Amino acid sequence: MPAKQRLPRSREIAEELRRKIESGELAPGSVLPSERELMESYNISSGTANKVSGLLKSTGLVESQVGRGLFVRRRTQLIRHAHDRYARHWREAGKAPFRSEVEAQGRTPRVEVTGITRIDPPQWVAERLALPAGEQVVRRENTYFVDERAVQIVNTYIPVSIAGDTSLEQAVPGPGGIYAAFEELGHRLTRMLEEVQARMPRTDEAERLSASPGTPVLDVLHISYDQDETPMDVSHFILRGDENVLTYELPTD
């Protein structure tokens, strides 16, 4: 049997530090060894020490603070309860899904509406909304913050036949968010479909989410249906993979 190939020295050291972070030996907020300290402790060159730092940054477990060095990231993940966040009792209480789930976890939500426009829909949106040829959509663009940290980018597409000249074209559609506004317009939320995949972020997504190199995102397409099985909206969520946990409670019958 051939001998097991040894990892490069930089990766060996990065893996050792990663294990210490994941075991809790290096607690959140702890400062990591500087490149000079790595050179002295492990008897390595400055180039190897620099590679160690780069490898650690790529894990998403550490963050760089200008002038201070590398620190173990404090990770307080937002739990997204798919089975509860769209429940009617939240709308009746005047709370939108994001606000209700963030406040329920003792944290502070904020939504920044960055644009509301009428556009010709991309093909993937038109197909999921079963739109007739030529119908436009209202696109609502939002960035979601938890404790002033950007954690989600959300673009919502609604047929103009539903949203046109209604509160859905306003930054704040009313108490309970867009799904309460849908119901006021006669579209009662009865069913949802979500498509989830993990991927690496585009450059603009990473910048908006202040994501460290190597941090993946969860790409979620959410489609809502009303009492007539009419698709009401497609919401495209980009969630930081290290800041969000998705939970699903599924029926068995």
Side-chain angles (χ1 to χ4, degrees), residues 8 14 29 34 47 61 63 68-69 81 89 92-93 98 106 128 131 134 146 174 184 186 202 236 247:
S34 67
L61 295 173
E63 59 186 358
R68 298 187 64 201
H81 295 286
H89 65 85
E92 292 173 348
F98 180 74
R128 286 168 173 80
L131 293 177
V146 175
E184 288 183 3
R202 301 195 311 255
H236 185 201
T247 66

Side-chain angles (χ1 to χ4, degrees), residues 111-117 119 139-144 153-157 208:
V111 179
E112 183 178 304
V113 180
T114 55
I116 301 175
T117 52
I119 65 167
R139 180 178 63 195
R140 300 177 58 91
E141 302 173 74
N142 304 278
T143 302
Y144 289 10
I153 301 167
V154 185
N155 291 334
T156 296
Y157 302 86
R208 287 178 64 183

Side-chain angles (χ1 to χ4, degrees), residues 14 17-18 21 32-33 35 49-66 69-73 200 210-216 240 242:
L17 293 171
R18 178 187 62 78
I21 293 171
L32 275 77
E35 290 186 9
N50 182 261
K51 288 181 181 179
V52 172
S53 296
L55 288 167
L56 287 171
K57 290 177 185 177
S58 73
T59 66
L61 295 173
V62 305
E63 59 186 358
S64 178
Q65 298 183 16
V66 178
L70 287 180
F71 290 77
V72 179
R73 288 195 56 220
M200 299 308 296
S210 300
S212 302
T215 302
R240 279 186 58 148
D242 59 341

Side-chain angles (χ1 to χ4, degrees), residues 166-183:
T166 74
S167 63
L168 290 166
E169 289 193 289
Q170 299 173 9
V172 180
I178 66 170
Y179 294 102
F182 276 126
E183 297 201 344

Side-chain angles (χ1 to χ4, degrees), residues 68-186:
R68 298 187 64 201
L70 287 180
F71 290 77
V72 179
R73 288 195 56 220
R74 300 181 186 277
R75 302 177 67 184
T76 306
Q77 293 174 310
L78 176 67
I79 300 176
R80 183 180 186 273
H81 295 286
H83 66 282
D84 181 67
R85 73 191 313 262
Y86 298 102
R88 182 163 284 102
H89 65 85
W90 292 121
R91 296 193 290 282
E92 292 173 348
K95 292 187 177 183
F98 180 74
R99 178 185 168 193
S100 64
E101 68 187 3
V102 173
E103 291 182 344
Q105 294 172 58
R107 304 176 71 182
T108 303
R110 181 170 70 85
V111 179
E112 183 178 304
V113 180
T114 55
I116 301 175
T117 52
R118 294 188 184 189
I119 65 167
D120 295 324
Q123 184 176 352
W124 59 269
V125 171
E127 290 174 351
R128 286 168 173 80
L129 289 175
L131 293 177
E135 180 168 353
Q136 289 193 309
V137 294
V138 172
R139 180 178 63 195
R140 300 177 58 91
E141 302 173 74
N142 304 278
T143 302
Y144 289 10
F145 297 81
V146 175
D147 301 331
E148 290 306 311
R149 187 184 187 98
V151 296
Q152 301 176 16
I153 301 167
V154 185
N155 291 334
T156 296
Y157 302 86
I158 310 168
V160 166
S161 59
I162 294 176
D165 300 318
T166 74
S167 63
L168 290 166
E169 289 193 289
Q170 299 173 9
V172 180
I178 66 170
Y179 294 102
F182 276 126
E183 297 201 344
E184 288 183 3
L185 294 169

